[in-house]
Amino acid sequence: MEKELNQNSLGGKSIKRILGSYGIVFVLIALIVIFTILSNRFLTADNIFNILRQVSIVGIIAVGMTFIMLTGGIDLSVGSVAGFAGVGAALLMTEQAMNPVLAAIIMCLFGIGLGLANGFFISKLAVPPFIATLGMMVSIRGLAYIITGGLPVFGFDKNFTQLGQGYLGPIPIPVLIMAGVFVFGIIFLTKTRAGRHIYGVGGNEEASRLSGVNVSKIKFLVYAVGGFMSALAGLVILARTNSGQPNAGEGYEMDVITGVVLGGVSMTGGQGKLYMVIIGVLIMGILQNGMTMLGINEFVQKFVRGMVLIAAVAFDSFIKAQRAKEVTE
């Protein structure tokens, strides 16, 4: 009898582990089934590529956000950095007649610089990540309005729009860029010493420091990656919309954080897999696409996305509590 109880207990724990690790996959499948039933246009090749194109910008930023959140940090400035990179590149191409490739490189470097600034405030001045990146979010957004006078920027090289509107075969180029940065991120986090240190800092910063890890260097690194990914996403937004908008990227931080947390990355750091973040990002894209297809009001969509974020964080806390309980038993 006792043996049977132990087996049932082990079985229950196994189910909890599976749900904790892969429950989000079942959510993705359920959403696909539900929207396919409700709309015969949902599961078509055109709409699938449309969803992938829509999530590509959030997905690119989510790679950088994953690096940051694995250390226990957060970056609220990602949308503002993306918006500034877009208008900055547009102004360089129009007012300075700069080559599009050079303009893109400069703005990516600028994004890295802003990430390093965040890293400096957080690691050297001990400013909490929420406050440091909130201040950066407001400041950089203001700077985007200052340099544009609040007006959109038009008239840059039309070849640049291929970055956001072009295709390689049937696959949109933004989707290929997203796939490329995810591959880079997965390899970096799983195959490099710096990747292991990122997990270590998020799991126990003091233990990492005592074991010889340069914690400040790791924080500079992750925020620099975040800044680069945000700037790259901003260039894709610019190419996709064919205009530099100073308000581009507004609100992206919420969708990015929601996608990352849905993908299983812990808000307190040290836990999460980048390949699961892809699932979280897809869920956000499918939700938006499906609700739009069903004619659901935009304000209702915002409400749903907000509730999804709360549910994702609550689920993360629940799983952590369950794992801590298992350890003590």
Side-chain angles (χ1 to χ4, degrees), residues 141 153 272:
R141 181 65 67 189
V153 183

Side-chain angles (χ1 to χ4, degrees), residues 12-257:
K13 288 179 180 179
S14 297
I15 292 171
K16 285 180 182 178
R17 288 195 190 98
I18 292 171
L19 288 174
S21 301
Y22 300 104
I24 199 67
V25 177
F26 300 124
V27 173
L28 175 65
I29 294 170
L31 284 175
I32 292 172
V33 171
I34 290 168
F35 285 127
T36 300
I37 292 170
L38 295 176
S39 174
N40 57 11
R41 294 179 294 128
F42 179 78
L43 204 61
T44 61
D46 285 344
N47 193 51
I48 289 170
F49 280 121
N50 184 42
I51 292 171
L52 290 173
R53 184 196 289 274
Q54 287 174 345
V55 303
S56 60
I57 295 166
V58 170
I60 292 167
I61 302 174
V63 173
M65 186 68 80
T66 300
F67 274 62
I68 292 166
M69 289 178 64
L70 283 173
T71 64
I74 197 166
D75 189 352
L76 301 180
S77 68
V78 292
S80 295
V81 174
F84 186 87
V87 296
L91 286 171
L92 288 174
M93 287 186 284
T94 53
E95 295 190 1
Q96 304 299 322
M98 188 175 288
N99 180 280
V101 175
L102 181 57
I105 291 172
I106 288 174
M107 294 320 299
C108 283
L109 291 174
F110 188 78
I112 292 172
L114 292 175
L116 291 173
N118 280 332
F120 176 79
F121 297 143
I122 292 162
S123 67
K124 297 299 184 181
L125 302 183
V127 179
F130 183 90
I131 299 301
T133 60
L134 178 63
M136 185 67 76
M137 177 185 78
V138 176
S139 298
I140 296 303
R141 181 65 67 189
L143 190 58
Y145 278 98
I146 290 170
I147 65 174
T148 60
L151 300 173
V153 183
F154 300 98
F156 51 86
D157 193 329
K158 297 300 180 184
N159 291 324
F160 183 80
T161 61
Q162 291 299 306
L163 186 69
Q165 301 177 19
Y167 288 81
L168 187 61
I171 305 174
I173 288 177
V175 176
L176 293 173
I177 296 172
M178 178 180 69
V181 297
F182 265 104
V183 170
F184 157 79
I186 291 168
I187 292 173
F188 189 93
L189 289 173
T190 59
K191 302 297 183 182
T192 68
R193 178 181 296 180
R196 292 190 293 272
H197 288 171
I198 287 170
Y199 278 97
V201 169
N204 191 321
E205 184 174 319
E206 188 57 28
S208 295
R209 184 179 285 107
L210 292 174
S211 64
V213 175
N214 189 329
V215 173
S216 290
K217 185 177 179 181
I218 293 298
K219 289 185 178 181
F220 272 105
L221 170 66
V222 297
Y223 282 98
V225 171
F228 171 78
M229 294 299 175
S230 298
L232 178 60
L235 295 173
V236 175
I237 295 172
L238 172 66
R240 185 176 175 184
T241 59
N242 199 25
S243 68
Q245 302 283 348
N247 65 343
E250 278 189 357
Y252 272 49
E253 52 279 343
M254 196 202 79
D255 286 343
V256 171
I257 293 169

Side-chain angles (χ1 to χ4, degrees), residues 254-255 284 291 296-309:
M254 196 202 79
D255 286 343
M284 295 302 295
M291 289 190 293
I296 295 174
N297 187 287
E298 182 183 352
F299 305 123
V300 176
Q301 291 187 34
K302 287 185 177 181
F303 171 79
V304 171
R305 294 205 300 272
M307 289 296 102
V308 168
L309 175 58

